[in-house]
Amino acid sequence: MPSGGAKAPKASKGPRSIAGASTKSKASWFSFRSSRSRQQVVQENGLGITERFFYKTAPNKQQVLMCIMLRVRLPEQSPSITPERIVDLLKIAQAKHYRLSSWVDHESLGAIPFAERASDLPVSYRFLERIADNWMDIYMDEINTNFDTDDVTRPLWRSTIIVPKEWMPAPDSECFKKQTPLVAAHQTAFDYPIKYDRSPNPQLGLSIPTSAPGASYFDIMCTFHHCLGDGLSMLAFGRTFLEAADAAHINSLDLKLGEIPVSKDPPPVLDNLFNPNVFEVLPTAIGMAAKTLGKKKGKLGHSDESNVDLPVQSDHLQLPATPAPSSSSGTSTPEPNRQTPSATPDISVGPTLRINPGRGFTNVRFMHFNSEFTSTLRKKSKAEKTTIAAVLVVAALTACRCVFVHSAKRDGKDVKKTVPNSQGWVLTNSIRHILPQSKLLEGGDRETDEALKVFGGYAGSVSNNNLKLTDDSHIWDRCRSVKRGILTSFKASIQRMKVANYAYRHPKLWEMAEKRIDLSKLSRSFSVEVANLGAWEYPCAPPDAPSTDERCRLDFFGGGLNSSFEGSRGLFSLGIITFGGNMNIFVCYDVKSVTVDEAEVFFKAFSECLRRMSDSKKSATVQEMMI
């Protein structure tokens, strides 16, 4: 057991506020005020029911991982920063989040704090030298590499910091020695090399903004096991880190980490807010069973390998030699070797990747839409009585239709017979407004609402597996249809949560459900899965802030969920974050299911569809939006 650890507290026998301070209950159809005594289904510091599924991923399967990337430019008052100080800032942010400061007990599945003070917290980090645009390769390394859940000396999140050569930790420094390598010394060959188009592309959305020449900045990527929290949790940590990134913290001689307490308040567990009876869950349970056990639509993509075991070590494999540390840069990570396949000269191959037994097959494309375009698109969607979330879903579905047409023509198939006239979509949503500490239902400010700062699992989803989308469909009508579906997401998410809650409270029923449900059957059963984390003000200085502003600037950002785990529902998964009107979209897909040419069609078709929709007529058709 790690030092500073404590025994997991037992579940409370009586009802109490799991948020700590007492709060008023919210009266609504889902009210958790009940005449029945509400028993906690898991201990208050434990993982929720869905999070336990994520945690128990088999060792030879891809875990569910999420990763956020931040490009942090220093203020003029701080021309440089030491690697030790970046680690200090990570610890300050980590200390504010209970689950990030804890290890997960295998038996109780409770999160137990490592320490009482920020100075004693373990942080998994590594520093890499910035070489051209190698951050793209590194991001894909991060989102594809599993955590060791058996190692209780480390939290289930990690950071990779990419810095210029002169900021690298000295090889003999404590900061260098405490780095956590991402990949084991013994590795196996990667059978599916990552490929993507890196040629300059002026098309809207496909050009990534860069920092000004000579700017002092670093890229930081934080990867989290999904059992700890949801997408908004990832964003909450990023906001916490950026709030501490200013000249005062960077230039301070002593941040006094020994005086900063580690959070002792576990995040509220939504499952403990409910104790449903059979009549509440029966209708939803029947519908879920029919969808789960009934006849399935064919999976999208070129293979059905999400449930195939990841490569494992064997004695007969020829393992590559481990590279020696570089004395010049202080890092043991070699510069990527790039090759260009003769069949596709415009596509460059990423590094010769190697994997341990927990390596996935997710590729990522990074897209950027500036605030001027985003504002235009938002105004247009409002004029058409729909939402930006619905527009993004329909644009992604339209891009998928372009992919299907492209594939049919490439393979010499009949387009009319091959391309589907309906597609499925999934949209994740937040249900944090029902947390006891939230003021959102009372008109509170979402920028400062405490429920939106918590690191925990509070996401639901809504889906439609049969949305009609043909060449003749009116694009804005399709958006309004998706909007109506999104409006039902909250109730649907709560109902599904109650079903799981009821089953979990009845061990025999839960055991039967675990045996019957095969998450791999859900893999790529929808065209797209969209996670829109919403629009926010910058939690630090915006890129164009005046020089007198002593906060760090955020030049680029984004995040996403990997696509290689069992149950990854979308052929393409879109993670969307908007700061100050600038919208960045990280598109993830499994390289075993989507070919390079198909992926490029999707990216170009998606960005072009958004451009055309921003200036389209009311009666515009899907075909008019396609490339």
Side-chain angles (χ1 to χ4, degrees):
M1 180 182 297
S3 61
K7 292 184 178 179
K10 296 181 179 179
S12 173
K13 295 182 179 180
R16 61 185 293 272
S17 171
I18 60 176
S22 61
T23 56
K24 295 182 179 180
S25 298
K26 300 177 178 65
S28 64
W29 72 271
F30 59 83
S31 178
F32 28 80
R33 289 185 298 174
S34 174
S35 57
R36 295 174 290 153
S37 176
R38 190 173 65 249
Q39 279 191 326
Q40 290 186 347
V41 67
V42 298
Q43 68 268 36
E44 66 179 13
N45 73 324
L47 302 180
I49 295 173
T50 302
E51 295 164 340
R52 292 172 183 232
F53 263 118
F54 296 147
Y55 179 81
K56 292 182 178 180
T57 302
N60 60 337
K61 303 294 183 181
Q62 173 69 71
Q63 295 170 350
V64 189
L65 308 176
M66 53 187 186
C67 180
I68 189 170
M69 176 269 186
L70 306 171
R71 175 161 295 161
V72 183
R73 176 159 48 95
L74 303 183
E76 290 189 8
Q77 294 79 4
S78 304
S80 65
I81 187 171
T82 64
E84 290 82 3
R85 184 46 45 93
I86 295 176
V87 175
D88 289 343
L89 298 182
L90 281 171
K91 287 188 175 185
I92 291 174
Q94 179 185 16
K96 295 183 179 180
H97 299 283
Y98 180 90
R99 285 190 175 175
L100 300 185
S101 305
S102 303
W103 58 282
V104 178
D105 180 71
H106 280 294
E107 294 183 3
S108 68
L109 296 186
I112 303 173
F114 282 107
E116 295 185 355
R117 299 292 170 182
S119 57
D120 300 322
L121 286 173
V123 180
S124 297
Y125 67 87
R126 60 175 180 151
F127 282 87
L128 299 177
E129 181 182 345
R130 182 166 67 236
I131 303 173
D133 58 358
N134 64 337
W135 68 269
M136 297 182 182
D137 303 308
I138 295 167
Y139 185 93
M140 284 183 284
D141 276 346
E142 282 290 332
I143 207 166
N144 278 297
T145 305
N146 281 354
F147 288 92
D148 182 1
T149 55
D150 291 326
D151 183 1
V152 296
T153 67
R154 296 282 178 180
L156 293 179
W157 71 279
R158 59 177 178 254
S159 294
T160 294
I161 305 102
I162 307 169
V163 297
K165 181 178 179 179
E166 58 270 21
W167 292 2
M168 288 291 294
D172 58 347
S173 67
E174 183 180 8
C175 182
F176 177 83
K177 295 175 182 178
K178 286 188 174 182
Q179 292 183 98
T180 304
L182 182 64
V183 188
H186 297 291
Q187 305 163 341
T188 57
F190 190 34
D191 294 330
Y192 296 87
I194 302 276
K195 303 177 183 178
Y196 50 92
D197 187 355
R198 290 198 182 177
S199 58
N201 194 325
Q203 184 175 336
L204 175 74
L206 299 181
S207 178
I208 302 299
T210 58
S211 296
S216 297
Y217 71 90
F218 61 90
D219 294 328
I220 183 168
M221 299 170 191
C222 296
T223 306
F224 307 89
H225 196 302
H226 205 12
C227 73
L228 298 182
D230 54 17
L232 275 177
S233 298
M234 178 175 67
L235 182 60
F237 178 79
R239 294 171 66 194
T240 304
F241 176 80
L242 290 170
E243 286 168 0
D246 58 21
H249 284 83
I250 296 172
N251 299 337
S252 174
L253 297 177
D254 185 3
L255 291 177
K256 300 185 184 301
L257 297 186
E259 299 177 8
I260 299 177
V262 173
S263 173
K264 297 181 179 179
D265 299 321
V269 181
L270 281 182
D271 298 296
N272 288 336
L273 301 181
F274 305 102
N275 187 11
N277 60 48
V278 66
F279 300 106
E280 290 180 78
V281 304
L282 189 58
T284 303
I286 293 174
M288 292 173 64
K291 290 182 179 180
T292 302
L293 304 177
K295 185 178 179 181
K296 295 293 179 185
K297 294 177 64 177
K299 286 183 173 56
L300 302 174
H302 294 285
S303 66
D304 184 13
E305 300 184 41
S306 65
N307 60 339
V308 173
D309 292 351
L310 295 178
V312 296
Q313 310 285 349
S314 66
D315 295 336
H316 69 273
L317 286 176
Q318 183 67 36
L319 299 177
T322 304
S326 168
S327 59
S328 61
S329 63
T331 176
S332 60
T333 302
E335 183 176 357
N337 296 319
R338 304 192 193 283
Q339 302 175 8
T340 303
S342 58
T344 53
D346 294 333
I347 307 296
S348 62
V349 179
T352 304
L353 299 176
R354 297 178 174 85
I355 52 176
N356 63 13
R359 178 62 197 247
F361 308 101
T362 296
N363 194 6
V364 189
R365 182 60 181 261
F366 314 93
M367 308 184 74
H368 169 76
F369 300 88
N370 62 34
S371 58
E372 182 179 357
F373 173 77
T374 304
S375 176
T376 300
L377 186 64
R378 195 177 300 279
K379 290 178 182 178
K380 180 62 177 179
S381 64
K382 185 176 182 180
E384 295 295 341
K385 295 181 172 54
T386 185
T387 63
I388 195 72
V391 169
L392 292 168
V393 170
V394 173
L397 292 175
T398 302
C400 280
R401 185 169 179 81
C402 292
V403 171
F404 300 148
V405 171
H406 164 82
S407 300
K409 291 180 177 179
R410 179 198 61 198
D411 299 337
K413 297 180 179 179
D414 189 321
V415 172
K416 290 185 177 180
K417 293 181 179 180
T418 304
V419 177
N421 288 324
S422 63
Q423 294 184 54
W425 58 270
V426 182
L427 182 78
T428 59
N429 65 301
S430 171
I431 49 180
R432 290 173 177 250
H433 51 284
I434 72 171
L435 292 180
Q437 66 266 54
S438 177
K439 301 296 182 183
L440 293 176
L441 292 179
E442 302 169 13
D445 180 15
R446 66 190 299 271
E447 293 281 347
T448 58
D449 191 78
E450 292 301 318
L452 295 174
K453 299 179 181 180
V454 177
F455 205 105
Y458 311 107
S461 66
V462 61
S463 63
N464 182 335
N465 63 359
N466 198 33
L467 179 73
K468 183 178 180 181
L469 193 81
T470 68
D471 288 347
D472 297 329
S473 297
H474 288 182
I475 195 81
W476 291 111
D477 174 71
R478 297 296 78 199
C479 291
R480 287 185 286 269
S481 176
V482 170
K483 176 190 174 183
R484 289 191 293 270
I486 294 174
L487 293 177
T488 68
S489 62
F490 173 64
K491 183 176 181 179
S493 297
I494 294 297
Q495 286 301 110
R496 288 193 296 270
M497 185 178 294
K498 285 185 175 181
V499 171
N501 193 296
Y502 181 86
Y504 196 81
R505 291 176 185 273
H506 298 77
K508 291 185 178 180
L509 183 60
W510 183 255
E511 183 180 355
M512 181 182 69
E514 283 191 307
K515 291 180 179 179
R516 297 294 300 272
I517 296 175
D518 184 358
L519 291 178
S520 66
K521 293 182 179 179
L522 295 175
S523 299
R524 298 181 304 283
S525 53
F526 297 84
S527 292
V528 296
E529 181 167 2
V530 177
N532 183 13
L533 301 186
W536 305 83
E537 295 300 324
Y538 275 99
C540 55
D544 58 352
S547 59
T548 54
D549 194 322
E550 297 189 355
R551 298 174 296 169
C552 283
R553 279 79 171 144
L554 190 58
D555 283 350
F556 187 63
F557 54 89
L561 189 73
N562 63 348
S563 298
S564 302
F565 61 90
E566 289 185 351
S568 179
R569 294 172 288 185
L571 187 64
F572 294 93
S573 297
L574 283 67
I576 304 163
I577 303 176
T578 304
F579 278 136
N582 293 303
M583 179 173 65
N584 291 338
I585 302 177
F586 283 19
V587 184
C588 298
Y589 62 93
D590 191 298
V591 297
K592 304 187 310 305
S593 303
V594 180
T595 63
V596 177
D597 57 310
E598 290 168 342
E600 290 301 318
V601 168
F602 178 88
F603 304 137
K604 294 175 181 177
F606 177 70
S607 60
E608 180 63 14
C609 180
L610 289 178
R611 187 193 67 79
R612 295 181 185 183
M613 289 181 72
S614 69
D615 190 30
S616 65
K617 56 187 179 181
K618 291 181 178 292
S619 59
T621 65
V622 168
Q623 187 176 37
E624 292 173 328
M625 301 298 108
M626 295 173 62
I627 59 174

